[in-house]
Amino acid sequence: RATVDGRKVLAGNRKLMDDNHISLDQLNERAKALEDKGNTVVYSAIDGSPGGLIAIADEVRPNAKQAIEQLAALGIEVAMLTGDNQGTANMVANELGIKTVFAQVQPGQKAEKVKEMQARGLRVGMVGDGINDAPALAQADVGIAIGAGTDVAMEAADVVLMKSDPFDVIGMVTLSRATRSKMRQNLWWAAGYNIIAFPLAAGVFFRLTGWLLSPEVAALSMSGSTLIVVANALLLKRVKINKSATT
């Protein structure tokens, strides 16, 4: 809303026009044609009368579809959460192969959509970069902020990506899964070693089997166990992270 040279000007979505009782009959046909081409339409009005349309279109990143396909291969379903109109959202979603679309979502509703998906038993990772994304990033099981985004988004997120590349999300997932796998392997190794080594060192099995672990051997074995755990963790350096064909 603004006053320009004494005239009242409105610019925004259809809801803004409807709330101010602006008739859009003469603009509907042109607006629909623009939306069918994947544009988001901004309506304008001057002194209570329709003024015109502004068409805005986001350019899809060249590697976005490839990234979504690889996320699907990892067992991750991608959903689109956008404030764009349904027609534009569906057009972009079809181009990228996204089946779940939440369109015309107001900034304050993003966190609610995340809650809806969580209520269905889903674990949700939210990727965002704006101030309006911060509540949804905080609500998600894993909030992923873009490094080039706002400070508020980065503060609310669990993970901050250094670049604005969709493939960094794949890298994060791959590295996280590999790290969790190594943690489990090391935990089982350490637990198994201690379950066996401590009773042997304490002489629990000596009367039955004659087995006894001397203090010197026990100390060396403990050091060896630590080295094995560290070496296993260092194998994370060999994890292969798929990179975009455009990078």
Side-chain angles (χ1 to χ4, degrees), residues 41-104:
V41 175
V42 178
Y43 297 86
S44 66
I46 302 172
D47 291 334
S49 299
L53 304 172
I54 303 170
I56 302 172
D58 290 326
E59 184 178 359
V60 177
R61 290 179 179 273
N63 60 352
K65 185 174 182 179
Q66 185 183 3
I68 290 170
E69 289 173 348
Q70 291 200 23
L71 285 170
L74 291 172
I76 298 173
E77 179 184 353
V78 177
M80 178 188 293
L81 186 63
T82 177
D84 287 342
N85 64 76
Q86 193 70 54
T88 300
N90 288 340
M91 188 172 186
V92 175
N94 289 335
E95 181 181 347
L96 297 177
I98 298 175
K99 297 179 180 179
T100 304
V101 180
F102 300 100
Q104 295 175 298

Side-chain angles (χ1 to χ4, degrees), residues 88-127:
T88 300
N90 288 340
M91 188 172 186
V92 175
N94 289 335
E95 181 181 347
L96 297 177
I98 298 175
K99 297 179 180 179
T100 304
V101 180
F102 300 100
Q104 295 175 298
V105 179
Q106 299 297 317
Q109 297 175 330
K110 290 185 176 181
E112 294 300 321
K113 293 298 181 182
V114 172
K115 288 181 182 179
E116 287 179 19
M117 288 185 279
Q118 290 173 326
R120 289 160 46 194
L122 300 174
R123 286 181 292 178
V124 180
M126 168 73 184
V127 182

Side-chain angles (χ1 to χ4, degrees), residues 128-158:
D129 62 356
I131 294 175
N132 295 329
D133 295 327
L137 290 169
Q139 176 62 39
D141 296 285
V142 180
I144 306 167
I146 304 299
T150 62
D151 292 340
V152 174
M154 289 188 282
E155 188 68 26
D158 302 295

Side-chain angles (χ1 to χ4, degrees), residues 188-200:
W188 280 109
W189 168 258
Y193 168 81
N194 287 315
I195 289 172
I196 296 173
F198 277 130
L200 283 174

